[in-house]
Every structure is written in structure tokens, then in C-alpha cells.
């Protein structure tokens, strides 16, 4: 009868951050028992005080259904211990050690040093409220169900699209060959030259995979009817992935990325972060969204009026760090809907220059070998190292070092994400040793800016300014200058950049009126007068399925004279079974030459495995006339 009465009495025990609060929050029913019914005899009495306060949770191990934030984790053994210094009759509480915490999903890296030290003690087992602030446990004795409520920010989370490296494989052993062939014939007899000429080009992209190793080769073959021919090795290397470091090893001939320093052709070894090993939701830049929910709440994140993410979080702090990149502009609007229907909102700035990284993300590159830039003799040895780290939503830091024979450079900078847009600022200091000349030392400062204004349809994709002192050389320029000096050639033929400005801007004109675009750059040099001024202003739109555009471009020619080109084009889709495109464009230069070009291009085959293009070109004016 006593056991039946105890089992039928409802009991739920709740535990919070401390034993005192846990005891205070335990919901019990006060009952009394006649001890004479259970007297063992000999005048002894039985202490039933523990059972007078409901179903007692005695110390021991219980096999329970474990739920975390409402989600079932599984059925597992959980130890229950009576809190130390607790009053007599206090129920035992669920306690956790490291292995059980990992199963629950707590991020052990986010625990405080004091808590970590306590868990490191052999046999340590702590209540969840003593491990994670504001975490609570609720044990239903009758159903043997243990519910844990833990703030989302303290939980370990796998990004969307995450696949554990243990399930990765090297793929199948296979080989491939890709090529691109082009034949160009023109007639220049009307220009006083030697009649018709034919030129041919074949680009090759080949490789094969054997186990974890990948062989790649890129090259090009050029032929001319006048007798010249040449095959150029663009890149030849072997690669293999190193998943433990989220990196890729390259051995052979390749190119540095050019993110921090100018891209350099090298022959050697390169070890660098490979973002393709990250889930899609962690590639590129997107800010981390942090907030606080006072109940089980729905979090909705939108950008430019479009919902891009929605999830449900437990009470407490939350952190969302796996948003997919959505471009370079548009602040994030975060809406938190609480269980009582109340809503509070806030915004997170979202604007990024290309070097911006997510908080906590690292990117590195280490290269060692020889420089193989055209025009550089002697294959000078060099080494390069770069590093980037996302510190916060607002700041990404980066640094690098370049070293070669007779050359050294260091650089440091940062990318800032602000409500006014994204800024990048860095400085490079370099020193170059030129045989027979004094040491050249100088610096180069750069600032860049990027901003998207969805309210007006404006986008400043890139706006950058760089100033370099007279003694500054980048790696490629320094190696070329040293080669010129070694060959007793004039050093002045190697141009040293002084100022450089560039901007790319676009403006939408509503849903029907197309888009304006502007690209401009100005460059001048320390050892050459004048400036290289290039700009392009254009407009594009479409009418039904016919696209059209107009554009004006101004640029400096090879002889140093300025020339302006005016361009207009129309693109018309053709066919349905095997779609093709007809493009016609007209170009006129201020020098007097006009050119009309028409091209038909498309693809054939069930999988569009064959692509083709046929072009007809006619130019006249400016003392020239040619047909292709």
C-alpha cells in the first residue's frame, strides 16, 4: 500500500544553478505516514521523513530519457548525487562529467577555467547549473525523463552542410583532358601589309587523380602562318588534401593567390588553407549574430526584405555563426519572437571587403621555392607567408612577409565592417638590394572601401587608393629590376608605381529601366611622366528576351596616346532544341576606326559537351580595312 501510494503521487524535481535554488524550486506534496505500520520490531522505528515530501530521488544511477531544449538525445545512464551541504532529505540531482556533457552537446571549450578544473578532478560530477550559467534540469521520476534547458550559446553546433572528415574520401582514380581551340584569320592587304595571315591557339587543361594525389597541367600552344610557334607551360603541379589542417599541399609550378601581396609565379612548395573543406555555410564572410532570448523563442534573420535564416532557441544567450554569404552589402535585421508573442528586433552591420573573415576563422598560406616570372633570370629563391584571422564581426586582421634574394617585405592591415561600409587598410614596407646601386627602401599604403545601398539600388563594389614611395618595389618588380641590373640594362625601363586609384560603381534604375555601371582607374609612376587613365561607363537593359547595352571606354594605347572607344551591342537568343545566341556589336574609336562584329555561339550534344562559336568581323576607317 505504501509503495502504491508513493508511485501514484506525482513528482517533478527541478534543479537550477545551485543546490539551494534547486531545493527551493522542487515541487513536492506534503504527506505523513504512520510509522507503526512499518515497524520492524524490537522497538526500532523507521525514518520516513524523506518520503513525506513526495517520491524521493535517492543517490544512484538512473536510466533516463534525456531531452535537451525539448529535443530527445537518447536513453542513457545518468548519475544522481545529493548536493553537498544540502539539508537532510534533499533529493539527489543529476550530475554530469565530461563524456556525458559531450553527449548532451555542451561546448566544453566555452566552459570557464574554474569549471574545467573541477571537471578534471577524477570522479568529478557536477549539476548542470554549476557547469553552465542559467542552465536547469527537470526530472520526472514517474516517466524517468530528464529535461535539460541550456542556453544555445553554450552548446556546440555543427554548421549547416557539415560533414565529418571521417566520411570524406579521395574519390575515384580518373583522368581528364580539356581543351579550347581557336583559329583566327585576318586580311591586312588594304593596310599595306603582307596579305592574309592565320593564327591558331590551343589551350590545354589536363590531369589525373591517384588516391589522395592530384596531378594538374595547364598550357597553351600558339602558331602563326608567318612561321612562329610556341608552347607555354602555365602551371604543372601535384596536390593533395590535408583534412586535419583544412589545407592543401601543392608541389610544382603554380601561383600565389595575390590576396595580400601581388600574385607571383613560383616553382616550389605551397601549403595553404582550402576553404572548400569548410561547409558552404562557413565559406566567405558573414557576421556572427548574437542575442538573448527570455523564453523559447523564434529567431528570424532577414536582409533587404528577404528572410535568409530562421531557427528556434532556448532561453538565454544565443549565437548564430553559420549564415550563408549573401554578397557584400545589406545589413541583417534580426527579429526575436518570444513565447508570449512579444517581439524585439536589432540589426547587425553587413558589409565586407574581400579580406573579411568570420569571427574565429583563420586563413594562412606558406610558399617556398623560386620565382619564375617572365623576364626574370637566375630563378631567384623566395619564400612567402600570409595569415588572416577574423577577430570580431567588425574586424579582421591580416599580416604577411615576403623574402627573396636581395629583397624583403612585411605587411600588416585589417578589414573593418561598419554601418558606413567596409574598409580595408594596410601598409607594406619593402627593402630591395640592387647590385651596383644603393639599397632601395620604401613603403606602400592602401585603403579600400565597399558598400551596398539596397534602398537606392547603389553599389560601390570596390573603391581603392594606394600610395607607394619612390623606393618601394613589390616582389615581381624587384626581381625584374635585379635581372635588368645583372644584364647591364637600364633600370628606368622597370616602372615603379606611385599612385593608384580605382572604383567600380553600379546603380539600378528600377525594375524596368536597367542598370548603369562605372569602372575607372588612374595610375601614375615615379619614373615616367603622365598618368594611365582608364574608365568605362555603360548602360544595359533588356526588352523581353533581347538584351542590349551601350558603353564608352577611355584608355591609354601602347604608344602613350589616349583613345576613346564607343560600344553598342545586341544579344538575341535563337532556337529551342539546341539553343544558340546571336550577338552583334559595333565599336567606334576616336582615331577613326569602326568595327562591326557578329557572332553565333551555342552548344550541341545531350549534355552540351560541344560548344562552338563563329565570328565575322569587318573593320574600316583610320587608314585600315580588314575582314575576318
Amino acid at each position: 500500500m505504501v509503495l502504491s501510494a508513493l508511485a501514484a503521487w506525482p513528482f517533478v524535481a527541478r534543479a537550477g544553478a545551485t543546490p539551494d535554488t534547486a531545493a527551493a524550486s522542487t515541487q513536492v506534496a506534503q504527506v505523513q505516514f504512520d510509522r507503526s505500520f512499518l515497524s520492524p520490531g524490537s522497538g526500532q522505528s523507521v525514518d520516513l521523513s524523506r518520503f513525506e515530501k513526495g517520491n524521493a530521488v535517492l543517490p544512484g544511477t538512473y536510466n533516463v530519457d534525456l531531452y535537451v531544449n525539448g529535443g530527445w538525445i537518447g536513453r542513457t545512464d545518468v548519475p544522481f548525487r545529493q548536493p553537498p551541504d544540502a539539508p537532510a532529505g534533499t533529493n539527489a540531482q543529476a550530475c554530469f562529467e565530461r563524456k556525458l556533457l559531450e553527449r548532451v552537446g555542451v561546448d566544453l571549450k566555452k566552459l570557464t577555467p574554474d569549471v574545467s578544473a573541477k571537471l578534471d578532478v577524477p570522479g568529478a560530477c557536477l549539476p548542470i547549473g554549476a557547469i553552465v550559467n542559467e542552465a536547469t534540469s527537470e526530472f520526472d521520476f514517474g516517466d524517468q525523463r530528464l529535461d535539460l534547458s541550456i542556453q544555445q550559446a553554450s552548446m556546440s553546433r555543427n554548421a549547416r552542410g557539415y560533414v565529418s572528415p571521417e566520411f570524406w574520401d579521395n574519390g575515384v582514380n580518373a583522368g581528364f583532358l580539356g581543351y579550347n581551340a581557336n583559329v583566327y584569320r585576318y586580311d591586312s592587304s588594304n593596310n599595306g601589309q603582307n596579305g592574309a595571315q592565320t593564327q591558331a591557339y590551343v589551350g590545354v587543361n589536363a590531369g589525373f587523380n591517384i588516391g589522395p594525389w592530384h596531378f594538374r597541367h595547364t598550357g597553351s600552344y600558339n602558331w602563326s602562318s608567318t612561321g612562329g610557334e610556341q608552347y607555354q607551360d602555365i602551371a604543372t603541379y601535384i596536390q593533395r588534401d590535408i583534412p586535419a589542417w583544412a589545407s592543401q599541399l601543392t608541389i610544382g609550378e603554380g601561383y600565389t593567390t595575390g590576396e595580400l601581396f601581388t600574385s607571383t609565379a613560383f616553382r616550389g612548395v605551397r601549403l595553404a588553407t582550402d576553404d572548400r573543406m569548410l561547409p558552404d555555410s562557413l565559406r566567405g564572410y558573414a557576421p556572427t549574430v548574437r542575442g538573448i532570448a527570455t523564453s523559447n523563442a523564434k529567431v528570424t534573420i532577414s536582409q533587404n526584405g528577404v528572410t535568409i535564416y530562421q531557427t528556434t532557441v532556448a532561453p538565454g544567450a544565443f549565437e548564430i555563426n553559420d549564415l550563408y554569404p549573401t554578397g557584400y552589402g545589406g545589413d541583417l535585421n534580426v527579429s526575436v519572437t518570444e513565447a508570449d508573442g512579444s517581439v524585439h528586433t536589432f540589426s547587425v552591420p553587413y558589409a565586407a571587403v574581400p579580406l573579411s573573415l568570420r569571427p574565429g576563422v583563420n586563413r594562412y598560406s606558406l610558399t617556398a621555392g623560386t620565382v619564375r616570372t617572365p623576364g626574370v633570370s637566375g630563378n631567384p629563391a623566395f619564400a612567402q607567408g600570409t595569415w588572416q584571422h577574423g577577430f570580431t564581426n567588425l574586424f579582421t586582421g591580416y599580416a604577411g612577409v615576403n623574402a627573396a634574394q636581395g629583397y624583403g617585405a612585411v605587411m600588416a592591415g585589417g578589414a573593418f565592417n561598419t554601418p558606413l561600409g567596409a574598409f580595408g587598410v594596410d601598409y607594406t614596407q619593402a627593402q630591395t638590394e640592387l647590385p651596383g646601386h644603393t639599397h632601395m627602401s620604401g613603403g606602400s599604403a592602401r585603403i579600400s572601401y565597399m558598400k551596398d545601398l539596397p534602398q537606392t539600388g547603389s553599389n560601390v563594389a570596390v573603391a581603392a587608393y594606394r600610395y607607394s614611395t619612390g623606393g618601394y618595389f613589390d616582389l615581381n618588380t624587384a626581381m625584374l629590376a635585379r635581372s635588368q641590373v645583372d644584364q647591364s640594362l637600364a633600370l628606368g625601363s622597370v616602372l615603379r608605381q606611385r599612385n593608384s586609384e580605382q572604383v567600380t560603381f553600379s546603380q539600378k534604375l528600377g525594375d524596368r529601366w536597367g542598370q548603369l555601371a562605372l569602372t575607372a582607374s588612374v595610375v601614375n609612376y615615379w619614373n615616367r611622366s603622365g598618368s594611365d587613365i582608364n574608365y568605362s561607363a555603360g548602360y544595359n537593359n533588356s526588352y523581353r528576351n533581347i538584351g542590349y547595352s551601350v558603353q564608352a571606354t577611355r584608355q591609354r594605347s601602347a604608344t602613350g596616346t589616349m583613345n576613346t572607344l564607343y560600344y553598342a551591342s545586341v544579344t538575341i537568343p535563337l532556337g529551342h532544341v539546341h539553343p544558340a545566341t546571336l550577338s552583334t556589336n559595333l565599336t567606334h574609336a576616336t582615331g577613326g576606326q569602326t568595327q562591326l562584329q557578329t557572332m553565333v555561339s551555342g552548344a550541341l550534344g545531350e549534355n552540351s559537351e560541344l560548344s562552338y562559336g563563329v565570328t565575322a568581323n569587318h573593320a574600316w576607317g583610320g587608314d585600315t580595312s580588314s575582314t575576318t
Side-chain angles (χ1 to χ4, degrees), residues 363-443:
R363 184 183 295 165
Y364 75 93
S365 173
L366 300 172
T367 307
T370 59
V371 177
R372 63 182 189 96
T373 302
V376 174
S377 60
N379 296 321
F382 96 109
Q384 182 185 105
T386 64
W387 172 81
Q388 301 166 245
H389 178 74
F391 288 94
T392 67
N393 280 348
L394 302 179
F395 176 66
T396 296
Y398 51 88
V401 59
N402 240 344
Q405 291 178 331
Y407 179 81
V410 294
M411 71 94 65
F416 301 87
N417 176 27
T418 75
L420 299 178
F423 296 87
V425 180
D426 58 62
Y427 180 80
T428 305
Q429 181 69 31
Q431 182 169 327
T432 307
E433 180 181 349
L434 300 175
H437 294 70
T438 59
H439 290 314
M440 304 287 286
S441 179

Side-chain angles (χ1 to χ4, degrees), residues 324-589:
Y324 288 100
T326 57
Y328 294 121
D331 293 346
L332 302 180
N333 297 312
V334 184
S335 173
V336 181
T337 304
E338 302 289 354
D340 61 1
S342 62
V343 179
H344 58 93
T345 63
F346 60 94
S347 63
V348 178
Y350 186 178
V353 293
L355 293 175
S356 298
L357 296 179
R358 298 169 187 261
V361 174
N362 287 287
R363 184 183 295 165
Y364 75 93
S365 173
L366 300 172
T367 307
T370 59
V371 177
R372 63 182 189 96
T373 302
V376 174
S377 60
N379 296 321
F382 96 109
Q384 182 185 105
T386 64
W387 172 81
Q388 301 166 245
H389 178 74
F391 288 94
T392 67
N393 280 348
L394 302 179
F395 176 66
T396 296
Y398 51 88
V401 59
N402 240 344
Q405 291 178 331
Y407 179 81
V410 294
M411 71 94 65
F416 301 87
N417 176 27
T418 75
L420 299 178
F423 296 87
V425 180
D426 58 62
Y427 180 80
T428 305
Q429 181 69 31
Q431 182 169 327
T432 307
E433 180 181 349
L434 300 175
H437 294 70
T438 59
H439 290 314
M440 304 287 286
S441 179
S444 180
R446 176 178 60 176
I447 181 170
S448 57
Y449 174 77
M450 187 172 294
K451 179 64 176 177
D452 183 69
L453 300 172
Q455 299 86 350
T456 62
S458 304
N459 175 263
V460 181
V462 175
Y465 172 77
R466 177 187 286 275
Y467 174 79
S468 303
T469 62
Y472 173 79
F473 289 78
D474 61 30
L475 176 62
N476 295 332
T477 305
M479 295 300 98
L480 186 59
R482 286 176 55 85
S483 291
Q484 295 285 80
V485 172
D486 288 340
Q487 300 173 43
S488 301
L489 300 176
L491 183 61
S493 61
V494 180
L495 297 178
R496 303 195 309 277
Q497 194 177 100
R498 182 174 183 174
N499 291 289
S500 173
E501 302 96 21
Q502 66 183 73
V503 63
T504 301
F505 173 81
S506 65
Q507 175 66 56
K508 292 183 179 179
L509 304 176
D511 296 332
R512 298 177 53 190
W513 302 106
Q515 184 176 33
L516 289 172
L518 171 66
T519 301
S521 66
V522 179
V523 180
N524 56 34
Y525 303 87
W526 283 100
N527 54 344
R528 197 195 76 181
S529 61
S531 300
D532 290 344
I533 302 175
N534 299 278
Y535 71 78
S536 174
Y539 169 79
N540 64 81
N541 200 357
S542 63
Y543 176 73
R544 294 188 178 180
N545 58 350
I546 299 176
Y548 58 91
S549 66
V550 293
Q551 183 174 304
T553 301
R554 182 172 175 82
Q555 55 191 201
R556 180 184 293 273
S557 67
T559 60
T561 59
M562 298 301 295
N563 188 27
T564 302
L565 299 175
Y566 299 97
Y567 172 89
S569 70
V570 177
T571 302
I572 304 173
L574 303 173
H576 297 284
V577 179
H578 297 292
T581 301
L582 171 65
S583 300
T584 299
N585 60 73
L586 179 68
T587 304
H588 175 73

Side-chain angles (χ1 to χ4, degrees), residues 5-177:
L6 291 173
W9 203 276
F11 174 82
V12 177
R14 294 181 175 86
T18 65
D20 294 338
T21 59
S25 63
T26 302
Q27 297 180 355
V28 297
Q30 300 292 335
V31 296
Q32 291 182 345
F33 297 97
D34 188 344
R35 290 172 173 75
S36 62
F37 282 103
L38 297 176
S39 175
S42 303
Q44 297 179 1
S45 62
V46 178
D47 183 8
L48 299 178
S49 59
R50 178 187 297 272
F51 300 97
E52 291 176 350
K53 297 181 179 180
N55 274 353
V57 181
L58 300 176
T61 300
Y62 293 77
N63 187 256
V64 302
D65 282 310
L66 183 60
Y67 287 78
V68 178
N69 296 333
W72 185 65
I73 300 298
R75 191 163 187 86
T76 186
D77 290 335
V78 177
F80 281 71
R81 294 183 181 178
Q82 186 168 342
D85 302 326
T90 301
N91 289 298
Q93 294 183 12
C95 65
F96 300 83
E97 38 77 35
R98 286 187 177 273
K99 186 175 181 179
L100 187 54
L101 286 173
E102 289 180 349
R103 179 162 186 180
V104 168
V106 173
D107 189 347
L108 300 182
K109 297 178 182 178
K110 296 182 179 179
L111 300 180
T112 64
D114 292 342
V115 171
S116 294
K118 292 179 181 178
L119 290 174
D120 288 336
V121 176
C125 187
L126 302 177
I128 192 65
I131 298 173
V132 180
N133 290 334
E134 301 181 6
T136 62
S137 65
E138 181 177 308
F139 181 49
D140 188 320
F141 188 89
D143 291 338
Q144 291 290 284
R145 168 172 170 162
L146 178 63
D147 279 273
L148 302 180
S149 177
I150 305 174
Q151 59 183 3
Q152 189 258 8
S154 299
M155 301 291 289
S156 59
R157 302 174 61 242
N158 290 327
R160 289 176 292 167
Y162 172 81
V163 177
S164 176
E166 64 184 284
F167 299 110
W168 297 2
D169 61 47
N170 296 316
V172 299
N173 297 333
F176 65 90
L177 172 65

